[in-house]
């Protein structure tokens, strides 16, 4: 009986410490140890018509006719990226940025759906110098009809993580999505003593 109580006690401590660690990471999100690593995160720089090599982003060539800049609805700034009724799954991919394995990264995205809830996925991948995927993080979220901000936090990256990209995966859907303020910051950094 004492062994069972001791095991339950230890399990409780482990569970509380894991929850505390996750909470600590969320609190650390307010600590930004770097500038935003995402180029053109608010879609303020653009040219019409959009093509697959959009400032700061890569858009699948087959879906560029579904993507435009919305100058009337945004979370902050003047613009947001509008995706209208995607007829197939599509990806929005950030240009690469330098990463380091001793860092923890926090990604945020603000989004809303105009008609109905739509599930999307946020991915953060890091790569070696030769382009091999080293670390993968993702979060599935559901975009609602009101502007909301969603976050994804990495662990310390694996060794050889030289650069990273943020991917937003949008499924085929009949709604209109607005995406704004995609950011990535270093939120924790391991320092050698």
């Amino acid at each position: 009986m004492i062994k069972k109580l001791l095991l339950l006690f230890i399990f409780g401590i482990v569970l509380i410490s894991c929850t505390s660690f996750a909470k600590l990471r969320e609190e650390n999100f307010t600590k930004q140890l770097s500038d935003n690593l995402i180029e053109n995160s608010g879609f303020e720089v653009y040219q019409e018509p959009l093509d697959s090599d959009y400032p700061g982003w890569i858009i699948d060539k087959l879906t560029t006719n579904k993507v435009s800049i919305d100058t009337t609805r945004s979370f902050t700034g003047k613009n947001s990226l509008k995706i209208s009724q995607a007829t197939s799954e599509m990806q929005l991919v950030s240009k690469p940025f330098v990463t380091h394995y001793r860092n923890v990264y926090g990604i945020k995205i603000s989004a809303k759906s105009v008609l109905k809830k739509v599930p999307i996925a946020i991915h953060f991948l890091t790569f070696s110098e030769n382009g091999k995927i080293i670390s993968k993080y993702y979060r599935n979220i559901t975009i609602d009809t009101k502007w909301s901000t969603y976050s994804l936090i990495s662990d310390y990256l694996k060794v050889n993580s030289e650069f990273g990209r943020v991917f937003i995966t949008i499924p085929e859907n009949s709604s209109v999505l607005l995406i704004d303020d995609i950011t990535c910051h270093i939120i924790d950094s391991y320092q050698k003593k």
Side-chain angles (χ1 to χ4, degrees):
M1 181 68 173
I2 293 176
K3 284 184 179 179
K4 285 184 181 180
L5 286 174
L6 187 59
L7 283 173
L8 281 173
F9 179 72
I10 291 171
F11 178 73
I13 289 174
V14 168
L15 188 62
I16 288 169
S17 61
C18 288
T19 305
S20 297
F21 184 69
K23 194 173 216 176
L24 181 64
R25 280 286 167 81
E26 275 300 320
E27 289 169 3
N28 263 358
F29 210 108
T30 60
K31 298 178 188 175
Q32 296 175 351
L33 305 179
S34 71
D35 290 335
N36 183 9
L37 301 170
I38 304 284
E39 181 184 335
N40 197 19
S41 64
F43 306 101
E44 300 299 316
V45 179
Y46 68 97
Q47 74 278 340
E48 292 285 2
L50 297 181
D51 62 19
S52 61
D53 192 18
Y54 175 72
W57 297 93
I58 298 169
I59 301 168
D60 183 356
K61 288 180 182 180
L62 301 174
T63 57
T64 52
N65 63 332
K66 298 294 182 180
V67 180
S68 62
I69 295 296
D70 191 307
T71 58
T72 61
R73 297 171 289 192
S74 65
F75 186 69
T76 61
K78 296 179 180 177
N79 303 331
S80 64
L81 189 71
K82 180 168 81 172
I83 299 157
S84 303
Q85 302 172 332
T87 53
S88 62
E89 181 178 278
M90 62 179 290
Q91 284 197 326
L92 178 64
V93 182
S94 74
K95 295 283 174 85
F97 50 88
V98 175
T99 58
H100 191 277
Y101 74 95
R102 291 185 180 272
N103 296 335
V104 173
Y105 294 83
I107 294 91
K108 285 187 179 178
I109 174 176
S110 298
K112 75 176 268 186
S113 172
V114 174
L115 301 176
K116 60 183 180 177
K117 294 182 178 185
V118 176
I120 70 169
I122 306 169
H123 305 266
F124 173 50
L125 277 63
T126 67
F127 303 84
S128 66
E129 192 175 322
N130 66 3
K132 178 184 174 190
I133 295 174
I134 301 294
S135 299
K136 296 181 191 180
Y137 304 93
Y138 75 94
R139 179 177 176 198
N140 293 320
I141 60 175
T142 300
I143 304 301
D144 206 342
T145 55
K146 293 182 181 172
W147 280 107
S148 295
T149 301
Y150 308 89
S151 61
L152 168 66
I153 299 173
S154 77
D155 291 321
Y156 291 101
L157 304 180
K158 293 180 182 173
V159 176
N160 296 328
S161 291
E162 299 291 328
F163 67 94
R165 288 179 183 259
V166 172
F167 294 72
I168 310 296
T169 303
I170 300 151
E172 178 181 343
N173 69 85
S174 60
S175 187
V176 174
L177 297 179
L178 299 170
I179 297 175
D180 202 359
D181 291 348
I182 303 173
T183 63
C184 180
H185 295 273
I186 299 169
I187 61 170
D188 198 5
S189 183
Y190 173 76
Q191 303 294 322
K192 271 189 169 179
K193 303 216 176 190

